[in-house]
Amino acid sequence: MESSYCTPLLDCFRRGEVAPDIRMMAAQGVLAPRAQEQLGLLVLLSNDADPAIRAATEATIARIPRLDLARFLGRPDVAHEIRDFFAGRGVEPVLSDAPLTDEPLLDADESPPHDPDPDPGDGSGDAADGEAGEAGEARKLATIQRLALMTVSEKIKAAMRGSREERTILIRDPNKLVSLAVLSSPKVNEREVESYAKMANVSEDVLRVIGTTRAWTKSYSIVRSLAFNPKAPIAVSMTLVSRLVEKDVRMISMDRNIAEPVKILARKALQAGRSRRG
């Protein structure tokens, strides 16, 4: 199955881990911020066990402009499951010279208001930045309080469409759907993922998804952050040891916070390296 058709949130739907109210929101087309994911959810929910959700899915599909849908299906990166589903309904792909876009085909954005992503900068500045720092802390507290009052569905929309500050808070949400929605956001970038990989107060599911997503583990900084995170699932950490440079492997082997099986593997890797050089 193509990677473009796999996101952490979409995988939760596939595994049947999503409550009816969230499934209904997806069936109405208001959840996914990308066209591929929006259509992927509709394909899944067209066979939902709940007849009301199936009916809502069909109504949403009927509202999608047919020409826009056909042109999207003509894109080379569309998952074959999606293309085959709509071909069975008589919608064939249409090639188009129009620029590629990931915007939803049915725009029903009802996400809560939020500030645009602020640029965190590089931390440089003079003493005058102190006032700005205090204002930032006040804003962060207000954001935490606002998010705490949201329903799960509202948090999911904020996680996928909100600001960087909202994502940093919601990645630690105890509800797995909310935290994984952050990783499904088209706004999340490599620098953010690296910061999540270092966190000891996120769920193992978050760290597992990061550690098994090839696009992110191409980054050595992310690999290293995960490997040194005591909260990371042992199986994930062990697969990453072979990716580390010798200096980091040595540090892993001596780190008291790292699980023993991971340290043992690191020591074996060091011994093997010495044997090859010997």
Side-chain angles (χ1 to χ4, degrees):
M1 188 173 293
E2 293 96 328
S3 60
S4 59
Y5 191 50
C6 295
T7 68
L9 189 66
L10 194 51
D11 285 343
C12 284
F13 277 82
R14 286 198 184 93
R15 293 192 297 266
E17 300 172 352
V18 183
D21 61 325
I22 308 300
R23 301 205 311 276
M24 178 59 77
M25 186 171 70
Q28 293 168 343
V30 301
L31 179 60
R34 285 175 290 233
Q36 181 104 235
E37 195 169 41
Q38 186 178 58
L39 294 182
L41 287 170
L42 292 174
V43 170
L44 283 174
L45 294 171
S46 66
N47 288 318
D48 196 271
D50 187 330
I53 291 176
R54 293 200 305 272
T57 300
E58 294 298 333
T60 300
I61 291 174
R63 288 166 48 215
I64 300 174
R66 193 178 180 92
L67 181 57
D68 290 347
L69 175 58
R71 285 174 173 168
F72 184 82
L73 295 175
R75 288 174 46 154
D77 60 337
V78 172
H80 66 81
E81 292 92 345
I82 294 176
R83 192 176 288 119
D84 292 347
F85 174 85
F86 286 102
R89 292 171 172 240
V91 184
E92 294 295 335
V94 171
L95 297 180
S96 173
D97 294 330
L100 297 182
T101 175
D102 287 329
E103 292 298 311
L105 293 176
L106 196 64
D107 188 7
D109 187 359
E110 299 174 1
S111 56
H114 55 77
D115 295 329
D117 277 4
D119 184 351
D122 60 5
S124 61
D126 53 28
D129 291 336
E131 292 183 6
E134 291 179 4
E137 286 300 315
R139 185 181 67 245
K140 180 178 179 180
L141 180 59
T143 302
I144 291 173
Q145 293 171 338
R146 175 169 53 81
L147 293 174
L149 297 175
M150 288 184 179
T151 64
V152 172
S153 60
E154 289 171 339
K155 286 182 179 180
I156 289 174
K157 286 192 284 186
M160 299 190 78
R161 307 179 185 192
S163 67
R164 181 184 293 108
E165 188 173 54
E166 290 171 325
R167 290 193 295 277
T168 300
I169 296 167
L170 293 172
I171 193 68
R172 293 173 287 207
D173 195 273
N175 188 302
K176 180 167 66 173
L177 277 175
V178 175
S179 58
L180 293 184
V182 172
L183 297 181
S184 294
S185 171
K187 293 185 175 184
V188 75
N189 57 46
E190 189 174 292
R191 183 167 58 177
E192 288 178 81
V193 173
E194 181 183 347
S195 70
Y196 303 156
K198 295 176 181 177
M199 292 180 178
N201 56 351
V202 296
S203 73
E204 285 193 4
D205 289 305
V206 166
L207 300 177
R208 183 178 293 107
V209 167
I210 295 174
T212 55
T213 301
R214 284 182 294 177
W216 292 332
T217 54
K218 290 178 182 178
S219 163
Y220 186 81
S221 297
I222 291 176
V223 168
R224 187 183 187 281
S225 296
L226 275 176
F228 278 87
N229 189 337
K231 185 71 177 290
I234 291 177
V236 170
S237 297
M238 293 183 74
T239 63
L240 299 176
V241 169
S242 62
R243 303 274 306 277
L244 299 175
V245 299
E246 183 176 336
K247 180 183 71 172
D248 288 334
V249 175
R250 185 174 295 108
M251 292 175 64
I252 285 278
S253 71
M254 299 183 294
D255 193 325
R256 291 181 296 178
N257 296 317
I258 300 298
E260 194 61 29
V262 180
K263 291 198 289 186
I264 290 173
L265 181 63
R267 292 176 193 132
K268 288 181 178 178
L270 290 171
Q271 186 176 9
R274 287 192 292 267
S275 298
R276 287 193 298 270
R277 291 193 299 270

